[in-house]
């Protein structure tokens, strides 16, 4: 049997073994395409999360002593094993999240790349040499943090699970990972793949459970050393407040309202398919989704016409049938998206296309059509708030300065794209946009595995992905030497 299958009952993963919650409690994980129950998942309670933390605490020193080269070899082996069960993993991810099968396949490959990338980096985490007075000097080591807590969302459980686990393990940490209620299955599969590759029990623990129970307990624990949280701003605030009580450091990835800036000289035939994909990927439920377009007035009508045509052609359906766009994750998320469309109407924006809860033959899932809103101005809620669905707000501007001002006029600052044929304008914008990543005449770079990723402003702080993430998962020790010459 593959590690990646959907079973009727799904258990926790603690200290190298699958087990039900001590309370026996379970919650339903639903298929977003049908609204029907997919599996019943053990709901970790306080005792279970504590058991996971204890297991991680016990296992961590031994794991940190494994030579970096061997830790790296194990992670590299996990990459191989992920690719070996790619089809199964992709089907589970597609079923659990609703995303189209080919996107789930891409997520599997990105997950494998995280393990390969950090596996290769494991024995290359060097410190510095710092010259002091005379012959004195100091050296630095990057040491593990210890036991890290990772609270992840439902939109990319496999990718985010992989990026979190791989870098934490590379650095010699042990982890307790809390997946989201809506999509906990592939992070559990990752834990089993790691065990199959030889990871000692207790180094990775995965505790599905309700956010306000399992997540809150983990965030408030004094027995962990760091928290990485990816999710909504409101929950991020709660997690940070809980961590503050114990003075625990946090890394926060809180989403965005990322703009594509289309200047007067942009190549629209190149931009339109990319802007469309940047929105509809994962049904708009991507922290870095391109949900605002800031366009020069001279190109506005042409861009809107082309986007409307592209949106109307988007095939919406069940993930396993591999459409262009699947359902939203839950009934609640669908309600949220539809209510924002009402807000947009009330605020005076114009809906050019989409906006309906779309019916898909024979399915009762959480579908919507991609929506295109024009006449949007920067102060509108549909321009400022993260909707987390396929809703694109178009804002017209008169010149490059206004384009920059409008793009930056947001509480968020995760990523941005610039569309222009002029290298000077591209560089000027890229340098002045307030966000963590800027793409020029593109949007995203595959999974962006080697690229530091994280927000300015309310999009969060700290960086994940790339070599930069190793800094987040290690702490620096400095050792100074007093060197005396032999005759002194
Ligand atoms: O996220 P939550 P939700 C945004 C997006 C979305 C909104 C709400 O705008 O519409 O957030 O989504 C766990 N203590 N993003 O409610 O609650 C929860 O179990 C500790 C952006 O689904 O942030 C899950 O594991 N943990 C985003 C994780 O937090 C708690 C991705 C994220 O869920 C907790 C997802 C608590 N009190 C949503 N309550 C992104 N940045 O990509 C919940 N959790």
């Amino acid at each position: 049997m593959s590690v990646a299958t959907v079973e009727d009952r799904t258990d926790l993963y603690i200290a190298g073994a699958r087990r039900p919650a001590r309370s026996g409690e379970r919650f339903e994980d639903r298929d977003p395409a049908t609204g029907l129950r997919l599996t019943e998942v053990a709901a970790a309670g306080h005792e279970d999360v504590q058991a996971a933390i204890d297991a991680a605490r016990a296992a961590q020193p031994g794991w940190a002593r494994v030579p970096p080269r061997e830790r790296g070899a194990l992670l590299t082996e996990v990459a191989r094993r992920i690719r070996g069960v790619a089809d199964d993993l992709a089907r589970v991810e597609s079923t659990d999240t609703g995303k189209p099968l080919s996107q789930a396949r891409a997520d599997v490959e990105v997950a494998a790349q995280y393990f390969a990338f950090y596996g290769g980096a494991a024995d290359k985490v060097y410190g510095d040499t710092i010259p002091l007075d005379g012959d004195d000097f100091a050296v630095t080591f990057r040491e593990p943090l210890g036991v890290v807590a990772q609270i992840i969302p439902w939109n990319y459980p496999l990718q985010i699970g992989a990026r979190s686990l791989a870098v934490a393990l590379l650095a010699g940490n042990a982890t307790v990972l809390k997946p989201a209620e809506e999509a906990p299955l592939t992070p559990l599969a990752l834990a089993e793949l790691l065990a199959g590759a030889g990871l000692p029990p207790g180094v990775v623990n995965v505790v599905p459970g309700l956010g306000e129970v399992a997540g809150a307990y983990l965030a408030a624990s004094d027995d962990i050393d760091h928290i990485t949280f990816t999710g909504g701003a409101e929950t991020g605030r709660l997690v940070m407040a809980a961590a503050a009580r114990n003075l625990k450091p946090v890394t926060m990835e809180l989403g965005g309202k990322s703009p594509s800036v289309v200047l007067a000289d942009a190549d629209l035939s190149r931009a339109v398919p990319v802007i469309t994909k940047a929105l509809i990927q994962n049904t708009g439920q991507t922290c870095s989704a391109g949900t605002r377009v800031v366009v020069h007035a001279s190109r506005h009508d042409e861009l809107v016409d082309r986007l409307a045509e592209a949106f109307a052609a988007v095939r919406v359906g069940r993930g396993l049938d591999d459409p262009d766009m699947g359902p939203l994750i839950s009934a609640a998320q669908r309600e949220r998206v539809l209510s924002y469309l009402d807000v947009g109407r009330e605020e005076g924006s114009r809906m050019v296309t989409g906006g309906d809860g779309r019916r898909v033959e024979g399915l009762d899932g959480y579908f919507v059509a991609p929506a295109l809103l024009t006449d949007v101005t920067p102060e509108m809620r549909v321009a400022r708030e993260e909707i987390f669905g396929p809703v694109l707000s178009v804002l017209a501007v008169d010149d490059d300065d206004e384009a920059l001002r409008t793009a930056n006029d947001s509480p968020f600052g995760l990523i941005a794209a610039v569309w222009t044929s002029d290298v000077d304008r591209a560089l000027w914008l890229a340098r002045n946009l307030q966000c963590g990543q800027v793409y020029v005449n593109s949007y995203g770079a595959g999974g962006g595995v080697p690229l530091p990723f994280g927000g300015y402003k309310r999009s969060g702080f700290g960086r994940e992905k790339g070599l930069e993430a190793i800094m987040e998962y290690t702490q620096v020790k400095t050792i100074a030497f007093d060197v005396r010459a032999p005759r002194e």
Side-chain angles (χ1 to χ4, degrees), residues 247-467:
L247 294 173
K248 300 297 176 187
V250 293
T251 298
M252 292 269 144
E253 205 267 84
L254 304 173
K257 192 78 182 175
S258 297
S260 296
V261 182
V262 181
L263 298 185
D265 60 357
D267 177 350
L268 293 192
S269 55
R270 214 170 140 191
V272 166
V274 177
I275 292 173
T276 305
K277 180 161 181 285
L279 178 79
I280 67 162
Q281 159 126 354
N282 219 36
T283 321
Q285 304 163 118
T286 304
C287 44
S288 55
T291 51
R292 284 188 297 152
V293 164
V294 176
V295 57
H296 191 270
S298 65
R299 307 300 298 281
H300 175 274
D301 293 355
E302 184 189 356
L303 178 69
V304 167
D305 286 351
R306 287 195 189 201
L307 284 172
E309 206 178 306
F311 280 25
V314 168
R315 293 172 301 124
V316 179
R318 175 206 196 94
L320 288 178
D321 296 334
D322 209 18
D324 300 317
M325 194 175 91
L328 291 159
I329 189 75
S330 63
Q333 195 63 22
R334 187 164 175 274
E335 279 315 301
R336 176 183 162 101
V337 171
L338 294 176
S339 75
Y340 266 105
L341 295 174
D342 292 338
V343 168
R345 254 180 237 113
E346 284 155 21
E347 288 179 314
S349 70
R350 188 168 73 86
M351 195 174 324
V352 177
T353 181
D356 49 305
R358 184 158 285 193
R359 294 218 85 45
V360 171
E361 186 81 28
L363 296 174
D364 204 15
Y366 314 126
F367 300 98
V368 288
L372 182 60
L373 306 184
T374 61
D375 301 352
V376 177
T377 51
E379 71 288 351
M380 288 184 186
R381 287 180 61 198
V382 289
R384 307 197 77 75
E385 296 177 15
E386 184 179 56
I387 298 173
F388 229 52
V391 182
L392 183 63
S393 295
V394 180
L395 297 95
V397 293
D398 289 325
D399 56 41
D400 293 358
D401 283 323
E402 191 187 352
L404 176 64
R405 257 196 331 274
T406 305
N408 281 340
D409 185 0
S410 169
F412 295 104
L414 193 53
I415 85 170
V418 177
W419 293 92
T420 174
S421 328
D422 179 340
V423 71
D424 288 325
R425 297 162 107 186
L427 292 176
W428 172 77
L429 268 169
R431 289 305 305 271
N432 288 287
L433 282 162
Q434 292 163 1
C435 58
Q437 289 186 342
V438 180
Y439 291 90
V440 177
N441 292 328
S442 64
Y443 200 97
V449 172
L451 307 183
F453 178 71
Y456 281 30
K457 302 190 271 183
R458 288 206 178 185
S459 287
F461 42 83
R463 292 292 176 268
E464 298 188 79
K465 306 189 181 186
L467 296 178

Side-chain angles (χ1 to χ4, degrees), residues 83-210:
R83 291 186 174 117
V85 291
D87 278 348
D88 292 345
L89 268 177
R91 293 188 77 78
V92 172
E93 188 76 332
S94 171
T95 311
D96 208 9
T97 62
K99 68 181 68 190
L101 196 51
S102 48
Q103 281 177 33
R105 286 206 181 98
D107 287 3
V108 173
E109 173 52 26
V110 172
Q113 286 176 21
Y114 278 118
F115 281 96
F117 181 84
Y118 289 118
D123 59 355
K124 301 171 191 69
V125 182
Y126 302 150
D128 293 320
T129 311
I130 304 167
L132 298 170
D133 289 354
D135 289 328
D136 296 353
F137 69 98
V139 292
T140 62
F141 287 87
R142 301 210 74 95
E143 299 195 333
L145 300 173
V147 173
V148 296
Q150 302 176 316
I151 300 177
I152 69 167
W154 39 260
N155 51 351
Y156 291 85
L158 184 58
Q159 271 204 44
I160 298 179
R163 86 176 181 211
S164 308
L165 292 174
V167 66
L169 295 175
L170 151 155
N173 300 290
T175 91
V176 178
L177 185 143
K178 213 297 278 166
E181 296 86 318
E182 295 85 349
L185 300 182
T186 51
L188 286 160
L190 284 178
E192 297 210 326
L193 286 163
L194 279 155
L199 189 75
V203 179
V204 163
N205 306 274
V206 181
V207 286
L210 304 184

